Amino acid sequence: MTRESREGEQVDDCGLVFREMTAYPSSFRPDQIKGIPRPPLELPPNPGSTPIPLPRPEEIQIEPMDLRVAIEKRRSVRRFDDEEPLSLEELAYLLWCTQGVQEVVLEQYILRTVPSAGAAHPLETYLLVIHVEGLTPGIYRYLSLDHALQLVNSHPEIALAVTEGCMEQQMVLRSAVTFLWTAVPYRTTWRYGPRGYRDIYIDAGHVCQNLYLAAGSIDCGVCAIESFRDDYMNRLLGLDGKTQFLIYCAAVGKIQQGL
C-alpha cells in the first residue's frame, strides 16, 4: 500500500500508513462532538434463538489464586486434555472475567472487568464450543448484558471449519472452547475517530490477558491466536468485515497432565 505522508513523500510501509491514518488531525471533530447518538452498547440478540442463561458470577466457586502466582504461571499452552471438558460454571467464569458487565451507567456506558478507551468496549465474544458440559458443540455468542449464550451455528463440521480458518492450528480442534473476539469499530471511532482503531487492538490485548490469568485458577491453559484467514473467518461468523470483524482468538482447554 502506497500513499503520500503529510510531508509529501511516498509511504510503502503499511504500519507507517496505519499510524499516519490514525493520528489526530488539527481539525478533528468526532461524531460524539457533532451530536450524533452513541451506538448501541451491544449487538441485539438473534430473535430466532433462545438465550441460554449462565451461572451468575457471584454464585461461581473458584479456588483463589494469588495474582503474582497467576502472572508467574502465565504460559501459552497448545496441548490440551481433550478428554476433560470445561464445566458450564467454568466457562461462565471465563466469560465474566473477560467481558463481564459490572455496571451500566445511565444506559450510556458499560463498566466491565476489563478496561476500554472511553468505556467504548467495542468487542463481542463468540465461542467455538467443542467440549463444555451441558452445551451442544457449535458457535455461540455471549450476550454480556444478560450473561447468557446464544447458539449461532451448530453445523457438525463447524469445528473443522474454524480450525481451517485458524491456519490449521490443531490446538483449536483439541480445545474445549475457542474464544473468537470480534470488533464493532464504530463504538470506539464514534468518540475517537480513526484513532479509535488503535484502541480496538489494545482493548483486545486487555481481554486476552484477563483470559490467560483467569484460566490458571481453573487448571486451564490458553493459547492466543493471531493467525487466521480474515475474510474466511468473517464469512463463517456472518460478519461483513467492515462494521464488524474478527480481531483475535484464543484456544482454551484443561491442561494435559505432565505438561
Side-chain angles (χ1 to χ4, degrees):
M1 181 177 181
T2 302
R3 77 173 195 91
E4 288 190 0
S5 72
R6 289 196 180 92
E7 291 73 30
E9 76 272 16
Q10 292 293 309
V11 178
D12 296 309
D13 183 284
C14 63
L16 180 57
V17 171
F18 177 77
R19 295 196 302 275
E20 286 275 331
M21 295 291 288
T22 57
Y24 280 135
S26 58
S27 59
F28 174 65
R29 291 187 73 246
D31 285 354
Q32 179 186 23
I33 298 299
K34 295 175 184 176
I36 296 174
R38 188 185 186 100
L41 301 177
E42 183 177 69
L43 296 178
N46 182 347
S49 178
T50 303
I52 303 167
L54 290 168
R56 301 302 304 172
E58 61 272 14
E59 299 171 355
I60 300 171
Q61 300 297 314
I62 299 295
E63 190 70 26
M65 175 177 282
D66 182 79
L67 178 59
R68 177 169 177 169
V69 172
I71 292 173
E72 290 176 344
K73 288 181 63 178
R74 191 220 59 77
R75 295 289 186 276
S76 289
V77 176
R78 293 172 174 80
R79 295 177 61 189
F80 306 116
D81 185 349
D82 54 13
E83 297 297 320
E84 187 174 358
L86 262 67
S87 69
L88 192 61
E89 289 77 11
E90 289 171 329
L91 178 58
Y93 169 70
L94 295 179
L95 287 166
W96 181 82
C97 287
T98 53
Q99 281 288 271
V101 174
Q102 295 179 309
E103 184 181 356
V104 178
V105 181
L106 302 174
E107 298 184 358
Q108 292 291 315
Y109 300 92
I110 297 180
L111 302 181
R112 296 185 186 269
T113 53
V114 289
S116 176
H121 295 291
L123 303 186
E124 296 278 344
T125 302
Y126 291 75
L127 303 168
L128 169 65
V129 169
I130 295 178
H131 208 188
V132 176
E133 293 175 347
L135 291 180
T136 301
I139 290 180
Y140 292 77
R141 184 164 78 89
Y142 177 47
L143 308 177
S144 62
L145 292 175
D146 297 323
H147 192 58
L149 292 176
Q150 192 166 49
L151 183 62
V152 174
N153 188 329
S154 60
H155 192 283
E157 295 186 358
I158 191 63
L160 290 172
V162 172
T163 302
E164 180 181 347
C166 290
M167 314 296 284
E168 303 289 352
Q169 296 182 75
Q170 294 303 300
M171 59 191 169
V172 173
L173 203 56
R174 293 193 299 264
S175 70
V177 60
T178 293
F179 283 64
L180 307 167
W181 292 295
T182 71
V184 181
Y186 188 57
R187 289 185 200 153
T188 303
T189 60
W190 172 81
R191 181 169 186 174
Y192 295 109
R195 191 180 185 89
Y197 279 92
R198 299 190 192 189
D199 301 318
I200 293 167
Y201 287 93
I202 293 170
D203 284 359
H206 294 323
V207 171
C208 193
Q209 179 72 340
N210 267 30
L211 179 64
Y212 268 95
L213 297 179
S217 62
I218 57 172
D219 299 320
C220 281
V222 178
C223 189
I225 300 169
E226 183 278 334
S227 297
F228 54 83
R229 297 183 176 91
D230 294 76
D231 291 344
Y232 176 96
M233 290 296 289
N234 285 330
R235 287 196 300 271
L236 196 63
L237 294 172
L239 314 178
D240 63 11
K242 294 180 180 179
T243 62
Q244 187 182 7
F245 54 87
L246 185 66
I247 191 169
Y248 208 7
C249 312
V252 182
K254 291 292 182 176
I255 297 176
Q256 199 171 72
Q257 294 301 313
L259 296 182

